[in-house]
Amino acid sequence: MNIAQQLVNGIIIGHAYALVAIGWTLLLGAARLVNFGHGQIYMVSAFVAWWIMSMTGAPYVLAVVVAIAAGAVIGAIMQRLFLRLTLSQDLVNLMIATLGFGQILEGAAGLTFGPKPETLTSPLQAVTFDFGPVWFTAQDALAVGATILVFLGLHVVLNRTRFGAAVRMVAEDPPLVALYGIPISRVYISIFAFEGAAVALAATLIAPRTPILTSMGFEQVVMTFVVVVLGGIGSVGGSYVAGLLLGLFTAIFSALISPAYTTAAVFALLIAFMVLRPGKLAAGGNFAR
Amino acid sequence: MNAHPTYFRILGTVALALLGFFLPRFLGGSSHVYDTLGTIASFSAMSYGLDIILSDLGEISLAHTAFFATGAYASAILSVDYGQGAWVAMAGAVLAALALALVLGLITLRTREFAFSLVTYAAAVVCMNIAANWDFLGGSDGIVGIPPLALTIGPLSFAASQPPQFWPFAYGLLLLTLYVVHRFRRSRLGQAALMVHMNPRLASMCGVDGNRVRLLVFLVSAPISALAGWLYAFQRAYVGTDLFDTYFLVLMLTGVILAGRRLLLGPLLGTALLVGQKSFFSLGAYGDKLVLGAVLVGVLCFCPKGLASLWPRAPGRALRQM
Amino acid sequence: MSARLQLRDLRVAYDRNLAVTIDHLAVEPGTLAAVIGANGAGKSTLINAIANWSRAAPRLSGEILIDGEAVGGKSADHLARRGVVLVPEGRGVFMGLTVEENLRAGLFAARAGGRAYSLADIYTLFPRLRERRSNLGGSLSGGERQMLAIGRALRMAPRLLLLDEPSIGLAPRLVSLLLETIRALADGGLTVFLVEQNVRAAIAVADSLYLLERGRVVASGDVAAMKDDPRIIEAYLGARN
Ligand SMILES: Nc1ncnc2c1ncn2[C@@H]1O[C@H](COP(=O)(O)OP(=O)(O)OP(=O)(O)O)[C@@H](O)[C@H]1O
Ligand SMILES: [Mg+2]
């Protein structure tokens, strides 16, 4: 077995996990929203990109841009729907509502795109780099690079800009935000749109690795859920680290022990973590850091 | 309360129960009608398991698909692999669910609100992953060839291979479930659960041990969903990892929330509406999914107390919540 | 010239419990009006209603006029941008933001009508804040936090500054220092509506006084006239014990 290659795979998968998770992390940190519709936004964005490419023959880059826009719109719609629940911080009902929202997306995508598996093709998928025992594709490199950029960018925006301050304010004390003259629903809509756009970016960069299906929402992001929680609620840096570690863990666990039980192992880890350190799930003091 | 109203209530309940039993006939008595109502009965039984967690304890368990599946898998394994009868399968379903609920209940004892939901969700994912990979549980193929439901009570024996024959079992389970939930709400445990939900500090001052109550309610709730799984396994003659599908979770949640929480017939009505739509006015698998999701989101966003709260004369006591 | 703030038939209710009933109240520009009253009298409910802000969503009816313009129904953030700036009771700053971020975070319309104090002005007013400018709000002492809350409000070009018990939990020396600062702001032309439990301190700085009991104004007028009102003396003693 090629340990070096497994490590490389782990790093790539880990960045993919982190990138898929970033929008959700922000959403959870700022709006306390556990978004079970996240996977379906991923799925829809991948299909939008595929559809653009196969219907219009547009290049991959354009498809990426359109998919990101579509993701942002879905996020914004979600915010409009959930505004009341978000403002009243009815966290539990919100969580169920996102489950329903995911079902809507899945149903709508099934009706629109059909049940067949499709392939989102990226020209970079065919470009491979070989370094002795390890290899990866240009698409992988792009995903890793984009993840790092997105995380750095988000970190800077959250900590260095007034808009970022507004997001942190919303996370800390939503009613108080109004007294600072800031319309809270605008902040929320930006956060939700970011969630949608970020997961769409992730989808377009990562989905070319495997065939896409309208029913894939759940499996594609189930690991994200772990990243988001293990990273510390809403912690941007934390979810990067958690994503990376999780990628390495899954790569090594599936190579050495059992690929089939990887998900179970990861979730068992998650349960252990949540049970042993429930305090970590309380309001995010380390949000945005 | 004097004897008269109670008397009438019992009579009314019995009349309603009888009416319910003959409902499939009033609706035409076709095999499709029987099948649909049987499904409504088993799915609403499944929802009642979640209902007492959601409405009485005030937490959202996302692990009830796992209890449902546990009941179904236990029944399938006992009847297919071990050739046992339906009674044994039933006992197995309940015991397996109790064991799982005990483990999960202990794990989630200290978690509240969305941490509780996240842990239960994670647990459901683990269970599904195990079911999909462990050959003992049929792996990704599931377990096929479950024999028709046959129960022997003393000298009588009933067998159900057709939907109309299946209906009495489904209806019986539904009535049993309703009875259990009704009794639960009147029991000391039910009252304690409500207290722990509404005012945990007051509850602990009154000497109610919140953690113990939570655990016990979990243990009451899991077998209810598991029994529904038991029935469903025989009804479908097949179990597989699709039992863990989000669809069931969303169905349960919507069923409970649609009519309104803490209404005895709420989950039944909610489930009946949803399954009825799927069965008689189906828009195809995707369309139905869309409808289900839209109903759930619609109720939560625009009428979070359920449709019954729109009813002008709705009894205040039953609707008061949170 | 019309009053800066006018209330007519204002009613504020939590569920079915009427918490505040004000038939008429007016505050002239450039003056400092103080509301005093016992715990639960409805002071916070009243001042929050003026800013159309609350953590509890009570029901409001009646008219609120700012410079003659009816603002009932305008959202709290809109009012804040237009110069109706509230410093709420208790937690009024963000713990997770630094002092300077808190001061910079406010959004306001340049033509809100009031004077927007610059950061330098605020640091001159509260030198302590300059020293702690890059500390997190959560690491400030109670007094520093109150200074920050007021500084933040001044940054937002207030036409009407609403202060809900700024002195709560402060040492007596700090209380008088803070209230003197507020008095100086009013002398500089700022209109201040102040809720204060410390009656002696309120009397020392206010132009006019309102005594609130069970949601109603039971006595009001110029401080000079109100000072010797037996009800005030009673309330004052009540507040003392
Ligand atoms: N969120 C709420 N829900 C219901 N009733 C409330 C709420 N907040 C305040 N009240 C009631 O309204 C009345 C006025 O309360 P308010 O907070 O305005 O008093 P206050 O004068 O500011 O008191 P304090 O000096 O203690 O701050 C009280 O009787 C209180 O019980
Ligand atoms: Mg007050």
Side-chain angles (χ1 to χ4, degrees), chain C residues 12-15 17-20 35-48 54-58 89 164-165 168 195-197 212 214-215:
Chain C
V12 191
Y14 296 99
D15 284 327
N17 305 325
L18 201 56
V20 162
V35 177
I36 56 179
N39 290 119
K43 307 181 297 295
S44 299
T45 304
L46 168 62
I47 199 167
N48 289 346
S54 170
R55 292 184 186 274
E89 186 173 20
D164 193 350
E165 300 201 33
I168 201 159
V195 163
E196 190 50 69
Q197 288 241 18
L212 211 60
R214 292 201 200 88

Side-chain angles (χ1 to χ4, degrees), chain A residues 158-162 165-166 168-170 172-184 186 289, chain C residues 53-55 76-77 80-81 86 88 91-97 101-102 104-107 136 152 156:
Chain A
L158 281 177
N159 290 299
R160 298 261 185 283
T161 67
R162 275 185 65 180
R168 275 146 58 209
M169 288 160 75
V170 166
E172 181 182 323
D173 187 347
L176 190 58
V177 174
L179 294 184
Y180 280 60
I182 299 172
I184 190 165
R186 296 243 189 101
R289 259 143 242 279
Chain C
W53 182 84
S54 170
R55 292 184 186 274
D77 57 278
R81 286 194 300 278
L86 168 68
R91 227 167 65 150
V93 302
F94 286 95
M95 311 286 179
L97 266 57
E101 278 177 326
N102 262 296
R104 286 181 188 280
L107 262 188
L136 288 182
R152 180 283 297 179
M156 294 179 63

Side-chain angles (χ1 to χ4, degrees), chain A residues 15-230:
Chain A
H15 279 80
Y17 290 158
L19 186 59
V20 177
I22 184 71
W24 192 351
T25 296
L26 187 71
L27 199 57
L28 186 59
R32 319 277 300 139
L33 179 61
V34 177
N35 183 10
F36 283 113
H38 189 78
Q40 280 78 13
I41 305 182
Y42 177 98
M43 175 274 295
V44 169
S45 315
F47 267 93
V48 166
W50 164 79
W51 189 82
I52 294 286
M53 286 178 78
S54 59
M55 284 298 131
T56 66
Y60 175 67
V61 183
L62 187 66
V64 171
V65 173
V66 175
I68 291 175
V73 169
I74 294 175
I77 293 174
M78 204 164 150
Q79 191 274 344
R80 283 284 104 186
L81 276 174
F82 296 167
L83 182 62
R84 214 166 69 180
L85 290 174
T86 318
L87 288 181
S88 62
Q89 284 287 291
D90 192 344
L91 301 178
V92 170
N93 277 342
L94 258 175
M95 194 166 59
I96 318 181
T98 63
L99 268 171
F101 191 75
Q103 292 286 300
I104 297 180
L105 287 182
E106 199 166 320
L111 290 176
T112 319
F113 303 116
K116 275 200 333 228
E118 307 288 353
T119 335
L120 176 62
T121 31
S122 158
L124 299 179
Q125 191 68 14
V127 184
T128 57
F129 300 107
D130 272 288
F131 294 100
V134 303
W135 70 277
F136 53 88
T137 68
Q139 186 72 20
D140 296 336
L142 175 67
V144 171
T147 305
I148 293 171
L149 278 183
V150 169
F151 270 85
L152 283 179
L154 184 63
H155 182 82
V156 169
V157 168
L158 281 177
N159 290 299
R160 298 261 185 283
T161 67
R162 275 185 65 180
F163 177 73
V167 174
R168 275 146 58 209
M169 288 160 75
V170 166
E172 181 182 323
D173 187 347
L176 190 58
V177 174
L179 294 184
Y180 280 60
I182 299 172
I184 190 165
S185 61
R186 296 243 189 101
V187 183
Y188 274 133
I189 215 165
S190 319
I191 295 169
F192 277 71
F194 174 80
E195 143 81 341
V199 71
L201 170 69
T204 52
L205 295 186
I206 294 156
R209 293 167 60 98
T210 48
I212 56 175
L213 270 166
T214 51
S215 59
M216 74 181 175
F218 173 77
E219 322 154 25
Q220 289 297 314
V221 306
V222 64
M223 287 294 181
T224 315
F225 177 83
V226 183
V227 173
V228 169
V229 178
L230 283 189

Side-chain angles (χ1 to χ4, degrees), chain C residues 166-198:
Chain C
S167 70
I168 201 159
L170 300 192
R173 220 178 51 81
L174 255 180
V175 173
S176 47
L177 194 73
L178 193 68
L179 289 177
E180 275 160 29
T181 310
I182 293 167
R183 177 69 249 174
L185 292 169
D187 290 337
L190 183 66
T191 316
V192 182
F193 191 77
L194 168 76
V195 163
E196 190 50 69
Q197 288 241 18
N198 187 331

